[in-house]
Amino acid sequence: MNDIHLSFILNGQRVNLVIAPNIMLVDLLRDILGLKGTKVGCREGECGACTVLLNGEPVNSCILPAMKVMDQFVTTIEGITKDHALDPIQQAFIDEGAIQCGFCSPAMILSAKALLEKNPNPTEYQIKESLSGVLCRCTGYKKIIKAVQTASAIRKSLG
Amino acid sequence: MQYPFNYFHWKKEIPIKQYLQPHSIPEALEILSYYNGRAQVIAGGTDVIPQIRRGELNIDVLVDITCIPDMNYIEMDGKTICLGGMVTHAQVCLSHLIRNRAKLLAQAAETLGSPQIRNVATIAGNLVSGQPAADIALPLLTLNANVTILSKSGQREVPLNQFFLDQGKTVLDCHREILTQIRFFALQKNQGSYYLRLSKRKALSLPILAVAIKVTADPEKKLFMDAAIALGPVAPIPYRAMASEDYLRNASICKETIDMAAQYASDESNPRSSLLRGSREYRKEMIKVLVRRALIRAIEDIGISLTEGIRYE
Amino acid sequence: MDEEKKKKAKVINREKLDTQQLFQLKTEVGLSVVGQSIPRTDAREKATGKLAYGADYPQEGYLHGKILRSPFPHALIKKINVEKAQKLPGVVAVLTAKDVPGRNSFGVVIPDQPVICGDKVRFVGDAVALVAGETEEISYRALSMIEVEYEPLQPVFDPKEALKPEAPLIHDQGNLLVHHKLRKGDVQKGLAESDVILERTYKVPFVEHAYLEPDVVMAIPKPDGTIRIQGPMQAPFTVRRNVAAVLGIPINKVQVRSIYMGGGFGGKEDAPLDIGCRAAVLAVKTGRPIRLALEREEVTLQTAKRHPHIMEIKIGAKKDGTIVAFEGTIYNEKGAYASLGPLVNIHSVIMMPGPYEIPNCKVDGYLCYTNHPFGGAMRGFGAPQVCFAHESIIDELALELGMNPLEIRRKNAFKLGSMTATSQVLDQSVGLQETIEACAKAFDWNRRYQEAGYLDRERTRRRGVGIGMGFYRTSFGASFDGCGANVYVQEDGSVLLYSGITEIGQGSFTVLTQICAEELGICVEDIRLVEPDTDLVPEAGPTVGSRSTTLMGNAIILAARQVKDSIMEMASEMISVPVERLAAKNRYIWDCEHPENRIHFRDVVSKCWMKGKRLIGQGWWAPPPPSLDPETSQGNPYFVYAYSTQMAEVVVDVETGEVEVTDFVAAFDVGKAINPCAVEGQIEGGITMGLGYALMEEIILKDGYIQNLSFQDFLIPTIKDVPQITPIILEVENKLGPYGAKGMGEMPNIPTAPAIVNAIAHACGGRVRSLPADPEKVWRAIREAGGPPEK
């Protein structure tokens, strides 16, 4: 195995590591950096549980070779909470009952974050489009959509 | 049928020994040549990584070409649109140029996978995967695209209709060659297009059937001048329904010719019965339905509306 | 004391009250926590990604366990050679059947599934050897180095084929695992008296739970000979009893801890058994902690699924729609091993005639082994399958009689006092008719039913509506069904709640905490629910069968009341008010007549502690014992049922067969919604699962091999596939439930598929009788019906 140097910005902080060439981003985050918030559901990019934001855009980290994030910005669910204060999206998910087993929640929350950063006032159709890459088996999606709408309203009122 | 060991046994890690990120095309080609078949190009990785994990791809080294600069462009060059080899599906969806001048390409790009996949999966990668249902291959076929392939021995232009050889196999040797550009003619004023897809659910879904159509017509004379109809998966490679296209050339635009063209497309196609995608009988019938619908939508771009009087029998 | 006040006083002498009266007591001041949609107690941890699921637990020091699987659906194992694998550096153990220390089999009902197959394999994926290595890579490689010589046997893949005398034997005792019978009245007589008789066959396939979290288990052996098993699991006590038997040690030497699950739906009832027993054997043999994790494809390959059913029905009715006879035969495909099959089978048989008063019923359910992956518990436990059949045939009957599908259901549906197919008289909590009315009103059924038709000028899309109706038991009706809870109030007023009910995502932790808080008169934040650990919590049974809220809720109430007695007595002393006049809510206890005379819960508790008064409560609740005649299935199998009516609006593309569900209204009688938001969550999630069952979910098998192992081809609904869902919650109180609650975990996904398939039939005339109603099936059904309707 030939180890390689990786340097990237994770949740706002630069990280420098030596990694194995075959490691996927999700395993780098979970096993090496100890950030377990990103989940593994299928390892083929079909369920979206492993979603992280790469330069603000959602990607499936289970099939993303870790080296691809060299000098890029990666945001995980751990990076959404700032100094113990919940992001309005997280609060909305909690308040609207959009979290049941919670396995898809980090992925849904990050997808919603990416959407609201680009489009603060999405229609229901746009919310569905943006979250269509994450599967949920528990909630039926309805409260998740509501949570994103609530978060959008909260963000607007916060200015 | 003999199922291999890795059909029943799975593990977490993929057996890759080297992951290299060249910063120029010559560097990439040099690396590929050096590894002599044990290395493969990876762009977004959304096909390659699952293939390695499933044991369908046996290589040691991945050569990531996404660090090569100046490969992300979507540009107009006279009457042609040029896409760089690293253009992603997401970029195509958002591109005003493509939405205005090659609408069906954006429609197809939108249907692929999910936002997560579209953010990293490249158009070039989708072509190189050589799948008969490759969403982006069908519209590009109708647009008479050409691809530029680079290797150590030089550069060649291959028309897309000569690019696909068999399921999963193209003229590009992904152990030694890189697809650097895709060029196609932008749609003109007398051309319309449409992309239509039939699938079992609304997202993250492989198609049961996909149809891409580009028509050139004379709205005054209500005449088809030319048609390009691409279908998949109805054969080992993305398929042009030539008989149907021939029929439409100089045919008048009316319900009867559209129905006939759809019938031709269905007759000349040869989908097999698949446990996962559906029976041959159903898929042949759906070719008729989708080709007809896509033709009707495509001619709307040119201002011809045929919904009046179209009734289901 | 005043005569007036004496009248108001309630005598609270708990030993003398029977269960029914106990739960009819309501505090005069109303509920403060129960009935509130409070956010889940674990929501914040889940929203921040901090909650640890099984795969998030540290892996250092663990060996990686892996399972060698059979590549044949049916074969003898002639020889197995593990030498090469054992010699691989980093391999710590390679085990075969002879290495299992105790009983080489496990199972929830019948232990017929080998921990490691010794003489034969019965389905593709059956375990042939176990490996433990220092890394996953090493274990995987070791698997590939084990040499096995198989002698393939003739497999059988169809339950009806399996019943034939010449069929190859999968298990020695025969391919028919069990035959359950239901006999009520005289079905031949009933059919003879019918004006109309319909005969139809309905089929449903294997489907996967497809919970997002793949299974994982950790087995940690201790130097003292005990072993700890931990992981996501719904049935820690079942795992414990099986691990003990497999290891050949007493139950009290096995500690099982269930951790938060990323979904279960019944699948994590027996999958953890499977990998838990195997990990335990590896742990004991290596003396080291073992981690055994399944990749997604392995979850599909080896874990239990929903039982396929072939259901043949003959139904007889009068011209006016009164159903007089119901004859059903179920060929219930077991697959390779028993798992929960026998319990599913009797449940299917009992539920087959549906929520209708039918005087003459005859049902035969044949549970047949095949060389396919096996069925287990999956949300509904037989009910989704039979509900699809009875709701479909009721609609077909309505069509035959020219009746509105709503009318025929209203006519025959259960009411209070109705007699079920098992001759059980439904003497309480029967809200079915209420759900019919509420749903029909909210959905505007009659108008939509009349207005169905083409949506577009091109005449390609047609709208239609359909109804599905069902009922579902609370808990599984076994004689040993019971549930214990401990409530320990600490000296500062904080509370530890010990409950063996697990958190699958359904919100059980939150709801049970709400019940405890309500009973004690405190707030949810004051209570910590201790994660279910068999060393700490009393026997609770599995978290299945929609039993958690009701059974554990009752146990918690009983436990809490033991403590509350001490507290109320002490409070009475402290503020000089007779106990009968006290009320407790939101951490305060006060005199009902002089509310300003109050005392804080914490102060009372502190005083109790000082005086050595009991602050430990223990509760045990078991439902009334079930009764079911083994020959006729007549009796009272379950003690209460939930009811639901669901209505779907679909748009069918009559040329392609594509179906879009555009609107969905569903009404439920839940007894009491302890946490309405959580109930809505179950409804919306369950309906979505039912929608998947109706339109897209199917395990596709060819020659015994699953063709769609991964999420790429096993399709579950995405966010874009789900319609507007309007849940309606009705409360017809269950006298035997905590605050009147009944189970709701499974009810939502049961009538959904038939509601959608009935809507498809209404929309386009095409009747699909085998799920899923994917585009091709709908297209064929339209053709069979002679094309779509004219109008």
Side-chain angles (χ1 to χ4, degrees):
Chain A
M1 207 58 104
N2 305 284
D3 289 343
I4 29 185
H5 288 265
L6 172 63
S7 177
F8 67 108
I9 301 105
L10 175 63
N11 296 330
Q13 300 247 335
R14 185 155 283 268
V15 172
N16 296 296
L17 307 151
V18 172
I19 58 168
N22 66 340
I23 194 170
M24 296 295 121
L25 181 62
V26 74
D27 298 315
L28 174 72
L29 294 168
R30 290 174 53 83
D31 300 336
I32 297 185
L33 295 174
L35 297 171
K36 306 282 188 181
T38 310
K39 307 300 176 197
V40 175
C42 73
R43 283 196 186 276
E44 54 168 5
E46 286 287 338
C47 76
C50 64
T51 300
V52 298
L53 300 183
L54 179 61
N55 302 324
E57 299 292 346
V59 296
N60 291 322
S61 62
C62 69
I63 51 173
L64 195 82
M67 283 305 289
K68 276 190 170 294
V69 309
M70 177 74 86
D71 292 323
Q72 311 294 311
F73 291 83
V74 173
T75 312
T76 66
I77 189 69
E78 290 88 351
I80 296 286
T81 325
K82 297 264 181 321
D83 302 318
H84 306 291
L86 293 178
D87 186 290
I89 300 172
Q90 289 169 310
Q91 193 62 56
F93 267 65
I94 295 170
D95 294 337
E96 294 292 347
I99 302 178
Q100 289 192 29
C101 83
F103 206 72
C104 75
S105 301
M108 286 290 189
I109 289 168
L110 285 171
S111 299
K113 179 112 181 133
L115 169 66
L116 293 179
E117 290 291 318
K118 279 197 307 247
N119 180 357
N121 247 327
T123 61
E124 183 171 322
Y125 178 79
Q126 287 166 331
I127 294 174
K128 286 177 161 181
E129 274 299 318
S130 298
L131 269 50
S132 63
V134 184
L135 294 178
C136 175
R137 198 55 161 155
C138 297
T139 67
Y141 305 102
K142 191 174 166 211
K143 293 193 191 305
I144 292 175
I145 296 170
K146 180 93 203 308
V148 179
Q149 289 166 332
T150 303
S152 157
I154 295 176
R155 282 165 60 109
K156 209 155 58 153
S157 71
L158 289 176
Chain B
M1 191 203 138
Q2 187 68 359
Y3 290 77
F5 177 82
N6 61 10
Y7 190 83
F8 316 99
H9 305 94
W10 297 79
K11 61 184 167 114
K12 190 164 102 171
E13 290 177 355
I14 58 167
I16 290 297
K17 300 203 177 75
Q18 283 257 45
Y19 192 91
L20 302 166
Q21 290 172 306
H23 288 269
S24 73
I25 303 249
E27 193 189 340
L29 292 171
E30 192 60 48
I31 295 170
L32 287 169
S33 156
Y34 174 78
Y35 281 102
N36 199 21
R38 298 304 304 160
Q40 170 144 331
V41 169
I42 181 175
T46 57
D47 273 334
V48 169
I49 300 294
Q51 278 177 329
I52 297 174
R53 186 168 167 272
R54 287 193 294 261
E56 292 165 14
L57 195 53
N58 184 359
I59 47 159
D60 299 325
V61 179
L62 286 172
V63 181
D64 182 344
I65 53 173
T66 56
C67 297
I68 298 171
D70 305 321
M71 297 262 278
N72 271 78
Y73 54 87
I74 302 177
E75 281 164 6
M76 190 83 166
D77 173 19
K79 287 201 172 137
T80 54
I81 296 179
C82 306
L83 304 180
M86 291 297 101
V87 167
T88 63
H89 286 72
Q91 279 179 272
V92 166
C93 294
L94 291 172
S95 158
H96 287 299
L97 178 60
I98 304 246
R99 297 206 87 87
N100 287 331
R101 302 302 302 277
K103 183 188 81 182
L104 81 168
L105 196 61
Q107 284 176 323
E110 265 172 2
T111 63
L112 184 95
S114 65
Q116 285 86 328
I117 301 280
R118 295 194 287 271
N119 281 330
V120 298
T122 60
I123 306 293
N126 199 270
L127 292 176
V128 168
S129 77
Q131 294 303 320
D135 283 288
I136 219 68
L138 301 177
L140 286 172
L141 270 179
T142 65
L143 293 166
N144 296 314
N146 277 344
V147 297
T148 306
I149 301 175
L150 240 56
S151 71
K152 261 193 98 176
S153 37
Q155 174 175 307
R156 56 195 175 115
E157 295 258 335
V158 179
L160 198 60
N161 60 14
Q162 291 168 25
F163 183 76
F164 301 101
L165 295 174
D166 200 348
Q167 181 157 3
K169 202 156 174 286
T170 69
V171 300
L172 185 141
D173 178 357
C174 39
H175 303 308
R176 289 176 185 80
E177 294 179 311
I178 302 175
L179 200 156
T180 54
Q181 191 182 82
I182 303 150
R183 300 167 67 95
F184 54 89
F185 287 109
L187 293 173
Q188 302 302 315
K189 275 216 182 61
N190 63 346
Q191 291 182 316
S193 72
Y194 207 74
Y195 179 83
L196 200 50
R197 200 193 206 243
L198 178 63
S199 56
K200 288 193 179 180
R201 70 176 177 188
K202 296 206 173 151
L204 280 167
S205 203
L206 292 172
I208 299 174
L209 182 67
V211 168
I213 294 195
K214 181 192 84 177
V215 292
T216 315
D218 185 337
E220 311 277 310
K221 299 205 185 113
K222 270 203 156 183
L223 220 58
F224 282 110
M225 288 159 60
D226 198 52
I229 301 174
L231 311 170
V234 302
I237 59 173
Y239 183 78
R240 281 279 290 261
M242 305 277 210
S244 181
E245 293 172 5
D246 287 339
Y247 171 79
L248 281 174
R249 214 159 280 124
N250 298 317
S252 66
I253 299 175
C254 63
K255 174 177 142 24
E256 286 72 33
T257 52
I258 287 179
D259 283 351
M260 202 60 192
Q263 185 69 52
Y264 269 107
S266 172
D267 289 342
E268 65 177 301
S269 310
N270 208 12
R272 54 186 188 91
S273 281
S274 149
L275 281 176
L276 295 175
R277 309 267 169 267
S279 73
R280 177 185 160 81
E281 185 195 357
Y282 174 69
R283 294 161 91 187
K284 273 177 91 75
E285 190 60 34
M286 289 307 105
I287 292 169
K288 246 195 327 203
V289 173
L290 261 64
V291 167
R292 191 184 84 237
R293 291 183 182 182
L295 276 170
I296 293 174
R297 293 271 172 270
I299 57 178
E300 275 171 10
D301 284 353
I302 321 168
I304 304 167
S305 171
L306 256 194
T307 51
E308 198 69 58
I310 295 275
R311 290 173 71 81
Y312 179 94
E313 284 104 38
Chain C
M1 226 197 330
D2 260 337
E3 284 309 320
E4 272 298 319
K5 288 172 188 164
K6 259 200 196 133
K7 277 201 222 117
K8 269 206 228 165
K10 282 187 167 64
V11 177
I12 307 173
N13 187 346
R14 281 174 184 81
E15 277 80 61
K16 295 278 166 50
L17 293 175
D18 65 27
T19 332
Q20 242 172 293
Q21 287 172 289
L22 196 64
F23 297 115
Q24 274 170 327
L25 287 177
K26 275 231 179 72
T27 54
E28 285 179 345
V29 294
L31 303 173
S32 62
V33 184
V34 162
Q36 303 296 314
S37 290
I38 62 163
R40 297 192 184 205
T41 52
D42 46 40
R44 195 192 163 99
E45 279 181 276
K46 289 175 177 173
T48 53
K50 291 222 169 69
L51 189 113
Y53 297 86
D56 304 333
Y57 276 61
Q59 298 179 30
E60 291 82 51
Y62 282 80
L63 291 177
H64 293 263
K66 278 212 159 315
I67 304 169
L68 180 69
R69 304 172 192 289
S70 158
F72 293 104
H74 198 200
L76 295 173
I77 301 174
K78 303 299 287 183
K79 234 182 357 187
I80 180 164
N81 185 349
V82 303
E83 266 178 48
K84 282 207 196 105
Q86 278 172 329
K87 290 206 183 87
L88 186 68
V91 168
V92 180
V94 183
L95 305 180
T96 57
K98 59 173 172 41
D99 298 310
V100 178
R103 184 187 74 195
N104 184 10
S105 67
F106 60 86
V108 178
V109 179
I110 301 170
D112 73 341
Q113 187 170 1
V115 180
I116 309 175
C117 293
D119 53 350
K120 69 186 280 198
V121 293
R122 296 178 177 85
F123 78 107
V124 171
D126 216 347
V128 173
L130 302 178
V131 170
E134 298 287 352
T135 68
E136 201 210 0
E137 182 66 43
I138 290 171
S139 298
Y140 183 86
R141 234 178 319 141
L143 285 182
S144 67
M145 293 164 91
I146 300 173
E147 292 160 342
V148 188
E149 198 184 296
Y150 295 98
E151 182 188 304
L153 298 169
Q154 180 65 28
V156 57
F157 298 130
D158 179 293
K160 283 172 132 176
E161 287 300 313
L163 287 179
K164 295 196 176 139
E166 64 270 21
L169 275 185
I170 300 168
H171 289 265
D172 290 336
Q173 69 271 33
N175 292 342
L176 177 66
L177 175 48
V178 70
H179 169 203
H180 286 120
K181 299 186 280 247
L182 180 114
R183 304 281 185 268
K184 178 189 179 197
D186 181 343
V187 90
Q188 293 313 318
K189 181 156 159 289
L191 287 170
E193 287 169 4
S194 306
D195 297 324
V196 137
I197 296 178
L198 238 53
E199 271 189 76
R200 297 285 188 273
T201 302
Y202 301 94
K203 291 193 182 151
V204 292
F206 279 113
V207 292
E208 255 296 297
H209 308 78
Y211 34 74
L212 267 269
E213 180 207 18
D215 298 278
V216 61
V217 74
M218 289 156 272
I220 303 132
K222 309 272 183 60
D224 62 358
T226 62
I227 185 166
R228 180 159 74 162
I229 311 285
Q230 68 188 25
M233 59 179 84
Q234 293 175 236
F237 293 95
T238 313
V239 172
R240 185 177 70 159
R241 123 176 25 105
N242 275 270
V243 166
V246 164
L247 295 181
I249 59 179
I251 286 178
N252 70 352
K253 292 212 169 180
V254 180
Q255 176 194 14
V256 178
R257 200 168 145 254
S258 164
I259 57 187
Y260 284 93
M261 283 169 266
F265 313 109
K268 290 197 164 100
E269 181 178 3
D270 67 347
L273 211 58
D274 179 319
I275 53 177
C277 288
R278 291 168 181 164
V281 170
L282 282 171
V284 150
K285 287 290 174 172
T286 59
R288 290 182 52 186
I290 304 285
R291 181 179 186 271
L292 212 174
L294 298 182
E295 295 290 319
R296 171 60 53 189
E297 291 83 355
E298 293 174 321
V299 175
T300 314
L301 190 64
Q302 75 162 78
T303 65
K305 304 187 180 357
R306 179 173 279 161
H307 290 80
H309 281 27
I310 299 170
M311 298 164 282
E312 296 166 359
I313 308 181
K314 201 163 168 183
I315 193 168
K318 297 277 193 212
K319 267 202 299 273
D320 68 354
T322 312
I323 304 168
V324 291
F326 186 103
E327 187 175 4
T329 310
I330 304 172
Y331 295 96
N332 186 346
E333 184 174 354
K334 181 72 251 125
Y337 294 107
S339 180
L340 286 128
L343 295 182
V344 172
N345 201 53
I346 181 65
H347 187 234
S348 290
V349 164
I350 292 174
M351 302 294 281
M352 175 110 229
Y356 304 107
E357 288 216 59
I358 306 174
N360 307 292
C361 298
K362 172 175 185 271
V363 184
D364 288 278
Y366 300 97
L367 186 62
C368 320
Y369 283 119
T370 62
N371 292 112
H372 270 159
F374 54 94
M378 181 168 168
R379 207 172 190 179
F381 213 72
Q385 296 95 311
V386 301
C387 188
F388 170 62
H390 65 67
E391 288 308 282
S392 293
I393 206 169
I394 292 278
D395 248 43
E396 296 205 58
L397 186 63
L399 190 66
E400 186 74 25
L401 293 169
M403 276 181 87
N404 184 320
L406 183 62
E407 277 321 302
I408 196 172
R409 285 179 171 83
R410 261 197 193 118
K411 199 177 187 69
N412 293 282
F414 285 155
K415 303 183 249 304
L416 186 66
S418 286
M419 193 183 268
T420 68
T422 66
S423 298
Q424 176 175 16
V425 174
L426 299 169
D427 58 359
Q428 62 123 356
S429 195
V430 183
L432 184 56
Q433 297 284 350
E434 286 89 321
T435 66
I436 297 175
E437 298 318 315
C439 198
K441 182 150 171 259
F443 190 77
D444 203 359
W445 169 262
N446 283 321
R447 178 187 61 81
R448 292 211 215 190
Y449 183 67
Q450 301 307 326
E451 280 182 5
Y454 282 109
L455 285 180
D456 57 346
R457 225 174 15 173
E458 291 91 334
R459 290 163 61 86
T460 60
R461 289 154 58 81
R462 280 188 67 96
R463 177 161 44 204
V465 292
I467 309 177
M469 211 162 79
F471 72 129
Y472 193 76
R473 66 207 181 150
T474 292
S475 202
F476 47 72
S479 54
F480 53 83
D481 193 8
C483 217
N486 291 345
V487 172
Y488 297 179
V489 180
Q490 308 303 310
E491 65 225 61
D492 65 350
S494 64
V495 178
L496 286 170
L497 172 58
Y498 292 83
S499 146
I501 289 298
T502 61
E503 176 61 70
I504 313 174
Q506 83 282 51
S508 65
F509 281 10
T510 307
V511 164
L512 295 174
T513 310
Q514 278 177 268
I515 291 172
C516 189
E518 187 69 58
E519 255 328 290
L520 290 175
I522 53 177
C523 302
V524 165
E525 305 79 72
D526 302 330
I527 304 172
R528 177 160 76 89
L529 193 149
V530 174
E531 255 182 21
D533 178 329
T534 59
D535 272 9
L536 299 176
V537 303
E539 172 75 44
T543 308
V544 300
S546 304
R547 67 194 282 274
S548 310
T549 304
T550 307
L551 271 69
M552 184 54 83
N554 284 344
I556 289 175
I557 289 178
L558 290 171
R561 284 192 184 169
Q562 284 188 348
V563 181
K564 200 158 172 199
D565 282 349
S566 303
I567 293 174
M568 294 305 243
E569 265 173 39
M570 182 61 74
S572 166
E573 259 181 56
M574 289 170 86
I575 60 170
S576 312
V577 176
V579 169
E580 304 82 63
R581 263 174 36 204
L582 290 176
K585 196 161 96 157
N586 290 329
R587 299 180 183 132
Y588 279 97
I589 300 163
W590 70 93
D591 179 350
C592 285
E593 291 184 11
H594 303 284
E596 67 286 358
N597 184 11
R598 64 183 201 167
I599 187 165
H600 198 283
F601 181 82
R602 187 192 328 121
D603 297 330
V604 182
V605 165
S606 180
K607 192 79 183 284
C608 282
W609 190 83
M610 289 297 303
K611 299 269 180 179
K613 291 245 183 270
R614 177 193 193 131
L615 287 173
I616 295 177
Q618 192 164 57
W620 177 266
W621 197 80
S627 63
L628 210 61
D629 184 295
E631 286 304 308
T632 60
S633 298
Q634 298 297 291
N636 296 353
Y638 314 111
F639 69 102
V640 75
Y641 301 85
Y643 300 88
S644 172
T645 302
Q646 305 190 358
M647 293 179 180
E649 181 191 82
V650 305
V651 172
V652 178
D653 184 325
V654 298
E655 291 186 313
T656 63
E658 284 169 295
V659 175
E660 187 186 338
V661 183
T662 47
D663 198 10
F664 207 96
V665 175
F668 297 83
D669 163 25
V670 313
K672 172 85 189 161
I674 307 285
N675 185 322
C677 184
V679 175
E680 279 173 7
Q682 289 286 57
I683 292 172
E684 289 153 10
I687 286 170
T688 302
M689 201 176 244
L691 188 152
Y693 195 43
L695 298 179
M696 62 185 78
E697 291 176 30
E698 184 183 10
I699 291 287
I700 298 171
L701 288 150
K702 181 173 168 211
D703 302 326
Y705 297 87
I706 297 178
Q707 303 298 302
N708 51 349
L709 283 175
S710 79
F711 274 152
Q712 183 179 91
D713 288 308
F714 179 79
L715 304 177
I716 66 175
T718 69
I719 198 172
K720 288 170 78 169
D721 297 294
V722 184
Q724 167 68 20
I725 298 175
T726 306
I728 302 171
I729 299 175
L730 302 168
E731 295 176 333
V732 180
E733 207 173 272
N734 167 21
K735 297 197 181 83
L736 295 173
Y739 302 98
K742 325 191 250 205
M744 262 295 286
E746 295 164 276
M747 184 79 256
N749 91 136
I750 292 166
T752 311
I756 292 173
V757 172
N758 286 339
I760 294 172
H762 183 234
C764 66
R767 169 58 66 176
V768 174
R769 297 196 183 90
S770 100
L771 293 183
D774 65 19
E776 181 168 347
K777 283 217 188 104
V778 175
W779 175 78
R780 283 189 190 281
I782 296 174
R783 277 154 66 106
E784 252 164 66
E790 269 314 298
K791 190 182 82 73

